[in-house]
Amino acid sequence: MTNHRIALIPGDGIGAEVLPPAQQVLDAVGGRRGFGFTYTAYDWSCERYVREGAMMPEDGIDQLRDKDAILLGAVGYPGVPDHVSLWGLLIPIRRSFRQYVNLRPIRVFDGIDSPVRGAVPGEVDFVVVRENVEGEYSEIGGRLNRGFPEEMAVQEAVFTRAGVTRVLDYAFGVAARRGGKVTSATKSNGIVHTMPFWDELVAERAAAHPDVAWDQEHIDALAAKFVLDPARFDVVVGSNLFGDILSDLAAAVAGSIGIAPAANLNPEREFPSMFEPVHGSAPDIAGRGIANPLGAIWSAAMMLDHLGHPEAGKDVTDAIAALLAKTDVRTPDLGGTAGTAEFTDKLLELL
């Protein structure tokens, strides 16, 4: 029987509450489909940072290297600046393992009321492909004259031909498989160097994918259209910053950021990929047993697909759809009263 080695990083807050349901779902569907999992848990978190001065040990990346995939809960802790958790854990993993694609599916499920009037179940179903390792989130820059009136900060955006081309090719490939089209997020009317470069490469890669239609939108207009007409989109590709913002906006349009999944992919499978819900650590509800586990469970379904079990991944997303469409079991973020355990048990029953 195929056995997959999975690294578990629960992290902080509700991260530790949503990963066990994802494990239960993985074990259930794996048992039925004839494969299994071996889990190794790591206590890497902001709490570890407070305790030991680092989010993970110096050899953390090496500890993950032989795993087939990584399943992450959430990171973030009161009193620890957000850039500490990001640059101390998530970004090193993404960059060390060349997880240059951040893939975020957006879907309005039957049974979920979107806050957006035009977001109709069955009509809104698209993906955001975000460049995940360069762009605006570079390490180049610094601070000068700290504390003086002339204090300044410089942050350089880095767009490479190789980095942009590979994420564009991935986006066009996804659109080809979906039978859809690509929309590129840009801001070349205001950002004078990087965005015209991005646009040129989009046109170049589009020519290499003649069967896929494409267009481009300035990021401000695109954000508005996500709200006004979300059903028009199929595959949206953007830089690190633009993709980050758009995918969170799209998750809210879909009804709850608690549902939204994400995959940090190394498409060549030379290194492990990482899967995580989009929601944060939610310290305001941590420990109360009411966290929505669907973001982690849907992320686990994406992991199944990446590991070569698309039918099993569909089993999970079908169960999610059935739970939302056919029952009134809801966690508080979805307007219900069910706790995490009750919600998970109902999903397992349907699965």
Side-chain angles (χ1 to χ4, degrees), residues 61-185:
I61 296 298
D62 289 334
Q63 291 186 41
L64 299 175
R65 197 175 297 275
D66 67 341
K67 304 300 185 292
D68 295 312
I70 304 159
L71 194 57
L72 179 100
V75 290
Y77 193 72
V80 176
D82 287 341
H83 71 271
V84 169
S85 59
L86 188 65
W87 286 91
L89 185 65
L90 299 186
I91 287 183
I93 292 173
R94 290 170 178 170
R95 294 187 174 175
S96 296
F97 293 145
R98 293 182 176 266
Q99 297 169 353
Y100 60 84
V101 169
N102 187 276
L103 186 66
R104 297 191 179 185
I106 306 299
R107 179 177 170 185
V108 177
F109 287 95
D110 283 320
I112 295 295
D113 292 327
S114 168
V116 174
R117 187 170 53 213
V120 179
E123 294 184 8
V124 177
D125 184 355
F126 65 97
V127 295
V128 177
V129 178
R130 166 192 173 193
E131 197 290 317
N132 208 35
V133 297
E134 54 176 47
E136 300 88 351
Y137 294 3
S138 84
E139 299 176 66
I140 300 174
R143 300 275 290 274
L144 185 65
N145 298 323
R146 291 175 184 262
F148 290 95
E150 64 272 24
E151 182 175 3
M152 63 180 291
V154 175
Q155 179 78 46
E156 299 286 355
V158 176
F159 288 70
T160 67
R161 172 173 284 275
V164 175
T165 295
R166 64 191 180 186
V167 79
L168 293 176
D169 282 339
Y170 186 89
F172 276 99
V174 171
R177 292 190 294 275
R178 289 169 59 95
K181 79 170 193 174
V182 170
T183 298
S184 169

Side-chain angles (χ1 to χ4, degrees), residues 246-262:
L246 286 173
S247 54
D248 279 10
L249 171 61
V253 167
S256 172
I257 201 167
I259 294 176

Side-chain angles (χ1 to χ4, degrees), residues 316-331:
V316 176
T317 53
D318 285 350
I320 292 172
L323 173 64
L324 296 174
K326 299 177 181 178
T327 80
D328 58 0
V329 179
R330 300 283 190 276
T331 46

